[in-house]
């Protein structure tokens, strides 16, 4: 059985005061939710603050991206080892905003995934098609290409401690959610690809859905066979909504 993972991607939001209140609010709120796994992805500046508040609790944390190099003259960047030093368990790789706004190619994403695994972080590989690609019937081809680039780099073994997050670009921040059936179809497609590679790993890898997840639609999404949790953007910025999404797992 794959346990539900509810993960909050805070993107470039927050302040010290907000991070304090939100983290405390989540920790308090999840005391009365089902036993889901939990993670938050604050901006890097706040990782130490979240670590101080969440260490020893059910709440895990991670970063929104990483640089694939171990160290060196890479101004502005943060390595996998630095994230480990701040207690990160997870790291997002290949979020659509990184791909579209910061030019990360499939190969760049694969390199980041590999660096994360090598450092003992659990990468959360984000995949998803644009509206144009969906309307052209290219959804499966796009997510297959995105996944294959990583498989080619790390093989099946690289997925032993990894998570996938299917995030259709047209559903991110738009209020448009993929229907549970639409999401399930892509999740099953992705799982079948992993199963073809390695039955055990394919069966155990969590595949999260992301794109306008809210308390009102979480339960229907989580009821789908291959939807193992959510990667939440906007609704993860209030403890009440994040906790409400966790309740969808009951
Ligand atoms: P929203 O939940 O705001 O649509 O964002 C989804 C997302 O991009 C999470 O990584």
């Amino acid at each position: 059985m794959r346990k539900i993972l509810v993960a909050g991607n805070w993107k470039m939001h927050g302040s010290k005061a907000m991070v304090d209140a939100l983290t405390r609010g989540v920790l308090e709120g999840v005391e009365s939710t089902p036993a889901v796994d939990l993670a938050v992805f604050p901006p890097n500046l706040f990782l130490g603050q979240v670590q101080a508040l969440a260490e020893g609790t059910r709440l895990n944390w991670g970063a929104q991206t990483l640089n694939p190099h171990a160290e060196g003259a890479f101004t502005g960047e943060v390595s996998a080892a630095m994230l480990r030093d701040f207690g990160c368990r997870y790291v997002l790789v290949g979020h659509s905003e990184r791909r579209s706004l910061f030019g990360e190619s499939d190969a760049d994403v694969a390199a980041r995934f590999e660096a994360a695994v090598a450092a003992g972080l659990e990468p959360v590989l984000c995949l998803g098609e644009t509206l144009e690609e969906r309307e052209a019937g290219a959804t499966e081809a796009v997510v297959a290409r995105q996944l294959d680039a990583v498989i080619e780099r790390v093989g099946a073994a690289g997925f032993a401690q990894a998570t996938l997050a299917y995030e259709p670009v047209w559903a991110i921040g738009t209020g448009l959610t993929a229907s549970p059936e639409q999401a399930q179809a892509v999740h099953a497609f992705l799982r079948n690809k992993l199963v073809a590679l390695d039955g055990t790993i394919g069966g155990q890898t969590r595949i999260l859905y992301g794109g306008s997840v809210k308390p009102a639609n979480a339960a229907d999404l989580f009821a789908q066979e291959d939807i193992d949790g959510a990667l939440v953007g906007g609704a993860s910025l209030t403890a009440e909504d994040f906790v409400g999404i966790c309740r969808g797992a009951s």
Side-chain angles (χ1 to χ4, degrees):
M1 258 304 271
R2 297 178 299 265
K3 197 169 166 190
I4 293 281
L5 170 61
V6 179
N9 175 8
W10 294 354
K11 305 193 181 182
M12 198 172 77
H13 295 286
S15 63
K16 286 193 273 187
M18 183 269 213
V19 166
D20 187 75
L22 178 55
T23 308
R24 288 179 194 277
V26 166
L27 285 170
E28 198 181 305
V30 296
E31 281 174 12
S32 59
T33 63
V36 294
D37 284 340
L38 300 161
V40 291
F41 295 84
N44 285 345
L45 279 173
F46 303 120
L47 284 170
Q49 196 184 348
V50 170
Q51 179 182 30
L53 290 164
E55 193 118 63
T57 73
R58 282 170 61 198
L59 183 63
N60 293 287
W61 57 95
Q64 299 170 12
T65 184
L66 77 166
N67 186 280
H69 295 94
E71 62 178 356
F74 302 103
T75 300
E77 295 291 277
V78 167
S79 72
M82 293 171 190
L83 299 179
R84 290 283 292 161
D85 205 16
F86 279 80
C88 289
R89 173 166 172 182
Y90 299 105
V91 62
L92 303 182
V93 294
H95 191 281
S96 68
E97 288 147 21
R98 300 294 318 169
R99 294 177 190 262
S100 68
L101 303 174
F102 301 99
E104 285 185 20
S105 66
D106 290 335
D108 293 331
V109 172
R112 283 162 168 72
F113 187 104
E114 185 179 44
V117 170
L121 289 164
E122 299 182 31
V124 178
L125 173 64
C126 305
L127 319 149
E129 82 288 1
T130 63
L131 186 58
E132 206 173 28
E133 289 163 340
R134 172 160 284 262
E135 286 174 346
T139 297
E140 290 189 355
V142 168
V143 296
R145 189 201 76 224
Q146 292 170 334
L147 181 57
D148 284 340
V150 179
I151 292 173
E152 275 166 34
R153 181 113 186 187
V154 302
F159 287 84
Q161 299 293 336
T163 300
L164 302 190
Y166 169 57
E167 299 204 303
V169 177
W170 50 271
I172 295 177
T174 59
L176 291 174
T177 319
S179 69
E181 296 73 23
Q182 278 176 321
Q184 164 60 25
V186 180
H187 284 227
F189 174 77
L190 290 167
R191 185 172 313 288
N192 287 340
K193 279 186 65 71
L194 288 179
V195 166
L197 206 62
D198 182 301
T200 306
I201 288 173
Q204 77 190 16
T205 300
R206 286 193 282 213
I207 307 179
L208 314 182
Y209 168 78
S212 300
V213 178
K214 312 179 228 355
N217 59 25
D220 286 344
L221 289 161
F222 297 162
Q224 300 294 315
E225 187 177 344
D226 291 294
I227 299 183
D228 309 312
L231 183 54
V232 187
S236 73
L237 296 172
T238 59
E240 193 185 344
D241 283 349
F242 188 74
V243 170
I245 289 166
C246 295
R247 289 212 176 87
S250 54

